[in-house]
Amino acid sequence: MLYRIFGRAGSGKTGYLTECLRERLERGDECVFIVPEQQTVATERLLQKSGAAGLLCEILNFERLPNLVKRSEGGLSLRFIDGGGKTVLMKLCLDKLADELKEYGRGGVNLVKELITTLKVLKMNKITPPLLSELSERIEKSGDKRLGAKLHDLGLIFKEYQSRLEEGFADSSDELSRLSELLKESDFFKGKHVFVD
């Protein structure tokens, strides 16, 4: 069962969730508490103060959650690429695609960093290379050649980057998407009460 409480900051959502969680734990229910990354330690302290410290509850954020599910279901063999690796990989992509790009040339370090950030945002919003290509064509036909060219380039760069990345690494930006796929075939949350703050 999933519980979500909505309200403005300071309205008592976390206190309410903590009390509900403590009651479930005292009944012997299995619970998971998902909080924003910056609140993990504060939530652990809050649970201790509420009297739930001795009760078994996993406090997770969206970075810890994929790791826990993978430990439970298998699949911890991924090698994650770091920031330096992403920079090198993006530069290789730009060099390879230089003759096909309409707006983004070989570019320096700033362009590489901006593109890495842009791809992360695109991934988070489920925007794919084929979608970028489709949008590029439609926008160019509508008359905005420059925006169409930028979307064309982003589609090519994104596709090349993902292709090269998947040859030996994983990107932490893809973790929640991978988790979503893993959970479709998993009973990980079955029988657990899930609290999200």
Side-chain angles (χ1 to χ4, degrees):
M1 192 170 266
L2 175 65
Y3 301 87
R4 292 184 300 166
I5 307 298
F6 296 96
R8 60 181 173 74
S11 63
K13 298 181 304 292
T14 302
Y16 176 76
L17 277 175
T18 304
E19 183 59 27
C20 291
L21 177 65
R22 187 184 58 73
E23 289 172 11
R24 294 280 182 191
L25 290 169
E26 285 176 349
R27 289 194 323 213
D29 293 341
E30 198 171 347
C31 298
V32 175
F33 198 2
I34 302 173
V35 298
E37 184 178 352
Q38 67 274 16
Q39 285 183 257
T40 309
V41 174
T43 302
E44 288 170 347
R45 286 189 194 128
L46 186 61
L47 280 180
Q48 287 175 342
K49 288 180 185 175
S50 76
L55 303 170
L56 187 60
C57 176
E58 187 94 35
I59 299 172
L60 303 168
N61 57 47
F62 286 103
E63 288 196 4
R64 287 183 181 179
L65 181 59
N67 188 295
L68 176 68
V69 173
K70 286 178 193 167
R71 276 187 285 145
S72 171
E73 304 289 323
L76 278 175
S77 61
L78 298 175
R79 277 185 11 199
F80 288 97
I81 192 167
D82 63 9
K86 288 179 184 181
T87 300
V88 170
L89 185 61
M90 183 60 74
K91 187 72 175 118
L92 289 170
C93 292
L94 288 174
D95 289 346
K96 180 182 179 198
L97 297 169
D99 295 336
E100 298 175 59
L101 299 176
K102 299 176 182 179
E103 280 291 320
Y104 299 115
R106 292 186 180 266
V109 175
N110 288 339
L111 175 62
V112 168
K113 287 180 181 177
E114 296 239 354
L115 286 170
I116 291 168
T117 301
T118 300
L119 292 192
K120 181 177 180 178
V121 172
L122 292 172
K123 289 178 182 187
M124 288 171 50
N125 288 287
K126 301 272 189 209
I127 298 172
T128 62
L131 179 58
L132 289 170
S133 295
E134 179 187 324
L135 288 172
S136 166
E137 289 174 20
R138 281 200 279 167
I139 288 174
E140 281 192 29
K141 285 179 186 173
S142 74
D144 193 339
K145 301 282 186 200
R146 185 140 193 238
L147 179 57
K150 286 183 177 185
L151 291 171
H152 166 269
D153 288 2
L154 281 175
L156 288 177
I157 293 165
F158 192 172
K159 183 177 179 183
E160 181 68 21
Y161 182 86
Q162 278 303 113
S163 175
R164 286 178 176 247
L165 181 69
E166 290 166 5
E167 288 174 5
F169 292 96
D171 186 346
S172 58
S173 302
D174 298 325
E175 273 297 87
L176 290 179
S177 295
R178 273 193 291 277
L179 176 63
S180 172
E181 291 303 313
L182 183 60
L183 288 175
K184 285 179 185 175
E185 301 169 9
S186 166
D187 289 334
F188 179 78
F189 286 117
K190 188 175 185 178
K192 293 182 174 118
H193 294 273
V194 180
F195 294 83
V196 180
D197 188 5

